[in-house]
Amino acid sequence: MDNINIEPTASTPAVKFITDGRLLIEGRSLPENVIRFFHPLIEWSGMLKAEVVKMDVNLEYMNSASPKKLLELLKVIDANNSVKEFIVNWHYEADDEDALESGQIFEDLLRKAEFRYHEYSSAA
């Protein structure tokens, strides 16, 4: 199993999934084909053998299809029997109540994930 390293584009986020359980997804998520973009990440997450997963989610913008696939990704990690501890660092802009609420909804839908919320200010 190899690490995943996807460089960001104008429409897709940066992804760094390391087999030791350090996961990062950040940037803008508005892929033309959301299934094609997220499927390899979801498949990889189901095969992950790390006991501790620390995932940073820092998405400044998501199109309407991305949250559904992001939740599917989180659910696969949450259900992975190899993962004993699942920490999600949910980053959101200070005035973006919708982003904070999305994280809280996702947290309610998962059983073992522990969300840690990190508010940041936008650069002027």
Side-chain angles (χ1 to χ4, degrees), residues 23 25 54-58 86-92 114-118:
L23 313 180
I25 184 165
K54 293 183 180 173
M55 181 175 191
D56 280 278
V57 178
N58 188 0
F86 182 23
I87 297 166
V88 178
N89 291 306
W90 189 267
H91 303 266
Y92 65 97
E114 174 190 335
F115 276 58
R116 297 176 182 169
Y117 298 94
H118 304 276

Side-chain angles (χ1 to χ4, degrees), residues 8-61:
T9 69
S11 62
T12 59
V15 177
K16 289 181 178 40
F17 280 17
I18 313 297
T19 57
D20 68 2
R22 291 177 293 142
L23 313 180
L24 168 73
I25 184 165
E26 71 177 352
R28 299 170 55 82
S29 183
L30 45 147
E32 191 172 307
N33 186 328
V34 71
I35 294 169
R36 186 179 323 139
F37 181 79
F38 277 95
H39 179 74
L41 308 178
I42 293 166
E43 195 171 79
W44 186 94
S45 297
M47 297 184 295
L48 184 61
K49 298 294 184 212
E51 285 194 15
V52 177
V53 172
K54 293 183 180 173
M55 181 175 191
D56 280 278
V57 178
N58 188 0
L59 293 170
E60 65 186 61
Y61 180 80

Side-chain angles (χ1 to χ4, degrees), residues 44-109:
W44 186 94
S45 297
M47 297 184 295
L48 184 61
K49 298 294 184 212
E51 285 194 15
V52 177
V53 172
K54 293 183 180 173
M55 181 175 191
D56 280 278
V57 178
N58 188 0
L59 293 170
E60 65 186 61
Y61 180 80
M62 289 188 280
N63 64 7
S64 59
S66 291
K68 182 178 179 183
K69 286 297 172 185
L70 179 59
L71 178 58
E72 185 179 342
L73 171 67
L74 293 169
K75 283 182 170 182
V76 167
I77 298 168
D78 198 65
N80 183 324
N81 290 328
S82 296
V83 177
K84 305 301 179 211
E85 183 179 4
F86 182 23
I87 297 166
V88 178
N89 291 306
W90 189 267
H91 303 266
Y92 65 97
E93 196 169 344
D95 61 352
D96 192 346
E97 292 298 317
D98 290 339
L100 173 59
E101 189 176 300
S102 292
Q104 293 167 335
I105 291 168
F106 288 173
E107 183 176 20
D108 287 345
L109 295 171

